[in-house]
Amino acid sequence: MCIESCFLLYSPPVTEISIYICFFSSSFSADTSNQIMELPSQNLKTTPSLSLGRFHISEDCGFLLPNPLKKLPDHYRPWMEIANQLSYLIESHQLRAQVNKIPLLNCQLLKSYREQRLAHLVLSLITMGYVWQEGETQPAEVLPRNLALPFVEVSRNLGLPPILVHSDLVLTNWTTRNPERNLDTIFSFPGGESLRGFILVTVLVEKSAVPGIKALVQAVNAILQTSQNSLLQALQRLRLSIQDITRTLGQMHDYVDPDIFYAVIRIFLSGWKDNPAMPVGLIYEGVSTEPLKYSGGSAAQSTVLQAFDEFLGIRHSKESGDFLLNMRDYMPPSHKAFIEAIQSAPSLRDHVLSSRNGQLLTAYNQCVEALAELRSYHIAMVTKYLITAAAKAKGRKSSQLPGPPQALEDRGTGGTAVLSFLKSVRNKTLEAILSQSG
């Protein structure tokens, strides 16, 4: 979900959203600053233990990028100047003209991993604004070479697609400000406080998942070491974390206006795959003479729930499972590798069943039930921000908001038939509950 608007609507000040700042050792920064390191290919069944460090996941912030950079070297000033006034340029219909004037910049001056992540964020936001500046009826069909070439090069270096992804909009787009260290975004596009709230609540959701990620690692290692007490403790912590994620997600109601999300923000999260507004895709000038297709933003691009699914042994339908698998290619490679490492670890479900331990079985089922409740809550939220908002937009006779979008009316920004997808995923989660009889 996303939200945006160039109009001022009341919403509680986002300064009330606060988060403890993450502190990281200089050694962690040095290890991750220059490149994405090759990940070991051991099978976890023969590996002594699983650790977050192997996959460049923060002990404090989980999948969030620790202390994201806010500035690029001076060579990239043309990009930064556009990114810093992106909302104004889109709203005044000047973005495309400004982008067409910028020089083709050399990506070789992006020396560190963190600089590359910031460059990907900047170029992805500019790209979404460029494509959708005139709305869904007049999308750009060609991304100019001075934007397309560096965007594709940075994307290849990071192992990410050349489009706005969750790791850009959320994981790399947060900072802290003022003495209270409250959260803020680094960059934005139309949507005002609702967009800001949408991004920052999602940041808090990622932060609330950190204890669950740690519990997952503890649980995998407990199975490898056959420590039933440690496994039981880990499952209890995982359940609490999932429940905390659900509570945190509820803050969307306080900070994100459904009308703005639907009419303004949503289009800038839309991609050019499975999108009737761009049925053939987008030509990246200088990269390919044929249009390329990439999915828009989706909650499925967050590593958190896919990692929980793999650990709990939840199996989705072929259609939903294929989409979720495809979304892993929209994650940083080390995060995708983390999911795959869990997948190759000994099966939790098999372990719980073979242990004949009633406490473990109950704890496992409580985790699955908490995950299903989270997904039910997500369905209710999507209904509010998409289905109900769409009905309201159709009935709105006069408004400062843009007219209701048609192309993705009943689909998520990732291109799926969103409600049927979410219900399928929730129902398959419920099917994973184990019988008390074993």
Side-chain angles (χ1 to χ4, degrees):
M1 255 185 311
C2 317
I3 295 192
E4 134 165 357
S5 165
C6 44
F7 309 103
L8 294 176
L9 294 183
Y10 172 76
S11 86
V14 178
T15 54
E16 294 175 9
I17 301 180
S18 60
I19 186 174
Y20 291 112
I21 191 168
C22 304
F23 293 96
F24 299 89
S25 67
S26 58
S27 61
F28 179 89
S29 299
D31 286 344
T32 60
S33 63
N34 293 323
Q35 60 183 353
I36 300 176
M37 297 169 63
E38 288 295 320
L39 296 168
S41 58
Q42 302 114 309
N43 186 314
L44 283 182
K45 293 177 182 177
T46 59
T47 300
S49 64
L50 178 66
S51 70
L52 295 179
R54 275 177 58 196
F55 304 96
H56 305 258
I57 302 167
S58 164
E59 291 278 348
D60 296 303
C61 287
F63 298 110
L64 292 164
L65 183 67
N67 302 318
L69 295 181
K70 293 184 277 188
K71 294 182 180 178
L72 289 173
D74 194 59
H75 176 74
Y76 302 101
R77 185 183 298 175
W79 296 352
M80 297 298 291
E81 288 177 345
I82 289 178
N84 283 320
Q85 54 179 338
L86 193 60
S87 291
Y88 167 75
L89 291 173
I90 293 171
E91 291 158 10
S92 62
H93 304 274
Q94 298 179 49
L95 178 60
R96 290 179 183 172
Q98 290 298 314
V99 168
N100 291 335
K101 294 177 185 177
I102 62 175
L104 177 60
L105 301 180
N106 182 0
C107 291
Q108 299 303 313
L109 298 179
L110 296 167
K111 297 300 184 184
S112 73
Y113 175 69
R114 294 160 71 79
E115 286 180 350
Q116 291 177 6
R117 286 285 294 269
L118 178 56
H120 199 275
L121 167 62
V122 166
L123 294 172
S124 65
L125 288 172
I126 295 173
T127 293
M128 303 311 274
Y130 189 94
V131 170
W132 300 114
Q133 173 181 287
E134 302 302 325
E136 68 174 6
T137 58
Q138 297 177 336
E141 298 178 355
V142 178
L143 198 66
R145 63 186 294 115
N146 57 350
L147 182 53
L149 286 173
F151 192 18
V152 169
E153 182 177 352
V154 170
S155 298
R156 285 174 178 164
N157 290 340
L158 290 172
L160 292 170
I163 192 170
L164 179 70
V165 293
H166 177 79
S167 65
D168 298 313
L169 186 66
V170 177
L171 304 185
T172 314
N173 192 28
W174 66 279
T175 187
T176 55
R177 58 183 174 80
N178 66 35
E180 289 75 34
R181 292 175 171 175
N182 291 329
L183 276 179
D184 201 358
T185 55
I186 300 174
F187 300 108
S188 190
F189 49 75
E193 289 300 302
S194 283
L195 175 65
R196 198 157 156 252
F198 173 76
I199 294 170
L200 296 184
V201 170
T202 310
V203 168
L204 291 176
V205 166
E206 290 281 345
K207 186 69 168 65
S208 65
V210 174
I213 298 165
K214 290 181 176 179
L216 191 156
V217 171
Q218 177 186 342
V220 169
N221 293 331
I223 294 171
L224 291 167
Q225 297 157 12
T226 61
S227 174
Q228 304 293 63
N229 287 338
S230 179
L231 177 55
L232 179 61
Q233 186 182 69
L235 291 176
Q236 291 167 342
R237 289 174 177 170
L238 176 58
R239 172 181 58 83
L240 292 174
S241 178
I242 295 171
Q243 291 171 335
D244 194 31
I245 290 171
T246 305
R247 283 190 294 270
T248 304
L249 185 61
Q251 293 187 53
M252 285 289 179
H253 299 297
D254 299 324
Y255 296 100
V256 183
D257 184 287
D259 296 334
I260 294 180
F261 174 82
Y262 184 75
V264 184
I265 298 172
R266 192 165 171 259
I267 192 168
F268 295 104
L269 303 180
S270 302
W272 25 98
K273 179 181 179 182
D274 299 323
N275 186 346
M278 296 184 70
V280 300
L282 177 69
I283 293 175
Y284 289 71
E285 188 178 43
V287 176
S288 172
T289 56
E290 296 297 321
L292 303 177
K293 296 184 177 184
Y294 295 102
S295 296
S298 169
Q301 294 171 3
S302 172
T303 310
V304 172
L305 294 189
Q306 292 220 37
F308 291 170
D309 274 351
E310 285 297 346
F311 173 63
L312 294 170
I314 294 166
R315 297 292 172 257
H316 297 292
S317 68
K318 184 178 189 317
E319 184 177 2
S320 298
D322 287 348
F323 176 75
L324 289 168
L325 193 62
N326 181 56
M327 287 297 99
R328 295 183 187 180
D329 292 333
Y330 290 69
M331 302 174 185
S334 60
H335 296 179
K336 176 183 177 181
F338 179 68
I339 299 173
E340 292 170 346
I342 296 165
Q343 188 175 11
S344 67
S347 166
L348 170 66
R349 284 174 63 86
D350 290 350
H351 181 84
V352 170
L353 287 170
S354 63
S355 72
R356 300 188 180 279
N357 183 318
Q359 283 185 300
L360 278 183
L361 189 144
T362 297
Y364 169 86
N365 281 346
Q366 287 174 340
C367 287
V368 174
E369 289 163 359
L371 189 56
E373 288 169 5
L374 169 57
R375 285 178 158 146
S376 291
Y377 192 78
H378 189 204
I379 290 169
M381 187 161 285
V382 168
T383 300
K384 173 182 176 178
Y385 283 91
L386 178 57
I387 309 303
T388 304
K392 279 181 66 179
K394 285 181 181 178
R396 199 180 290 125
K397 294 199 179 344
S398 62
S399 172
Q400 291 179 300
L401 293 172
Q406 303 295 322
L408 290 174
E409 183 178 352
D410 62 343
R411 304 181 78 80
T413 47
T416 59
V418 63
L419 276 187
S420 61
F421 166 74
L422 292 176
K423 288 178 180 178
S424 169
V425 168
R426 188 268 316 274
N427 293 342
K428 287 295 183 181
T429 303
L430 286 170
E431 288 180 14
I433 294 174
L434 294 171
S435 167
Q436 291 291 334
S437 63

